[in-house]
Amino acid sequence: QVQLVESGGGSVQVGGSLRLSCAASRRTSSNNAMGWFRQAPGKDREIVAAINWKGGNTYYQDSVKGRFTISRDNAKTYLQMNNLKPDDTAVYYCAVARGPETSTRADLYQYWGQGTQVTVAS
């Protein structure tokens, strides 16, 4: 079993920045893609960004392109969020994929963090 520990959430004003961090308990996760999802109240969980096992291939949801940056260091992943908007308010989850390549499907991720709240005030 792999445990994921997230940190870095909080409350910011519109236009502010936050950096989310996620550390996996096992180094074997360094061979798997990792991703960040979010879920706002009353909405489905959605992919925000994903990165493959080598870190050379990334995916971003259209609404965050140019504002968010995903990166990784072995079994750790980070999400730098700039120019935050009220629509970015959600609980953000880190996840480890079943395989090495990026995926946008939540069912292809096998381990999940507990979630961290991000609130953007207008």
Side-chain angles (χ1 to χ4, degrees):
Q1 187 72 14
V2 174
Q3 292 185 325
L4 302 177
V5 179
E6 299 150 344
S7 60
S11 296
V12 295
Q13 298 292 316
V14 169
S17 298
L18 286 172
R19 186 176 190 241
L20 305 183
S21 299
C22 173
S25 61
R26 285 172 52 184
R27 288 186 59 84
T28 51
S29 296
S30 64
N31 297 322
N32 296 70
M34 300 183 77
W36 288 94
F37 289 74
R38 67 186 179 188
Q39 187 167 19
K43 295 187 178 181
D44 293 333
R45 188 172 299 189
E46 62 179 7
I47 182 77
V48 176
I51 188 166
N52 73 340
W53 72 287
K54 285 187 175 181
N57 186 28
T58 57
Y59 166 86
Y60 295 96
Q61 182 193 109
D62 285 346
S63 69
V64 307
K65 285 180 180 177
R67 300 188 298 122
F68 290 13
T69 302
I70 189 171
S71 60
R72 69 180 298 163
D73 177 12
N74 292 321
K76 297 180 181 178
T77 185
Y78 308 93
L79 186 67
Q80 177 66 43
M81 305 185 295
N82 298 328
N83 191 21
L84 283 160
K85 304 176 180 180
D87 284 349
D88 295 320
T89 296
V91 177
Y92 284 69
Y93 298 90
C94 167
V96 174
R98 299 181 188 277
E101 297 303 328
T102 58
S103 176
T104 60
R105 289 170 46 184
D107 64 327
L108 294 183
Y109 288 78
Q110 57 182 333
Y111 301 113
W112 293 82
Q114 79 284 359
T116 185
Q117 178 70 46
V118 171
T119 302
V120 184
S122 58

